Amino acid sequence: DITRLGKIITSGILYESTVKLAITQFNEDGSLDLTLNNTGISILDIDNSHTALNINSMAIQEDGKILLSGSLNHYQMLIARITPNGKLDLSFNKTGMNLIDLGDKQVGYGGLKSLTLLPDNKILSTGYVYINHGENNTFSNNDDHILVRLNPNGVIDETFGDKGIILNDFFGINERINHSILQADGKLLTLGMLEAGMEARWLITRY
């Protein structure tokens, strides 16, 4: 992503003894920007108990803070915020991250795929989640839409959907959101796909 000052920021994962979050910032000429962690590179231990980390989306706030969404361990949906100097922002949900809590729902896997900064500075993230819809603790063979909204401080916005979360299973097959766009009228378009066996189709929804 590119900041309002023209800096180029990339994010990814680094595999060492544990999985770490890697943030790199470049100047316009491609050189490392030493204002980030004095080196241009920031390596963060999100939680050394986790064995898998996926970062799927990034957004840059007006104040230069970096929002990231993805998943931990393939099933814990993650939204994190990094300060402009490359540290976890402890003003964001007190820890720098929010692992989305789906209550008593049993999650097989899932991930947040897109981030949208709203005009009121709230944070909307969308993706998919594989939830137990069956009996006797069995998992149904389909992914569901998920939309999550956070307040600017990283705490779940309970005025949105069902305690901050919207889950939709429209057709009883795999339904994933891969991207979202905020319209001028405040409505949200999501773009994803339907999968049933070997057949796949585009799926566009509006909220």
Side-chain angles (χ1 to χ4, degrees), residues 1-16:
D1 213 332
I2 299 177
T3 72
R4 60 187 179 85
L5 299 176
K7 308 287 187 179
I8 303 164
I9 299 177
T10 65
S11 65
I13 54 177
L14 177 67
Y15 288 96
E16 292 183 331

Side-chain angles (χ1 to χ4, degrees), residues 155-175:
V155 175
I156 198 83
D157 177 11
E158 294 194 353
T159 67
F160 178 78
D162 182 8
K163 297 182 179 180
I165 297 168
I166 292 175
L167 287 169
N168 276 320
D169 181 12
F170 295 112
F171 303 104
I173 58 177
N174 286 340
E175 302 154 18

Side-chain angles (χ1 to χ4, degrees), residues 49-102:
S49 67
H50 293 292
T51 58
L53 170 65
N54 293 295
I55 300 298
N56 299 318
S57 185
M58 177 194 297
I60 310 297
Q61 297 184 171
E62 285 294 318
D63 60 5
K65 292 181 178 180
I66 305 162
L67 285 165
L68 302 168
S69 71
S71 65
L72 286 173
N73 290 334
H74 305 298
Y75 71 92
Q76 293 177 292
M77 285 161 289
L78 166 74
I79 301 175
R81 190 163 72 190
I82 313 299
T83 64
N85 64 356
K87 309 297 182 184
L88 281 169
D89 178 10
L90 299 184
S91 70
F92 187 81
N93 199 38
K94 298 182 180 180
T95 61
M97 69 185 81
N98 193 323
L99 295 176
I100 306 305
D101 183 6
L102 295 183

Side-chain angles (χ1 to χ4, degrees), residues 122-142:
K122 292 184 179 183
I123 301 153
L124 184 64
S125 190
T126 62
Y128 65 92
V129 62
Y130 186 98
I131 292 178
N132 176 12
H133 290 289
E135 298 179 354
N136 301 320
N137 296 323
T138 59
F139 286 86
S140 62
N141 188 28
N142 63 277

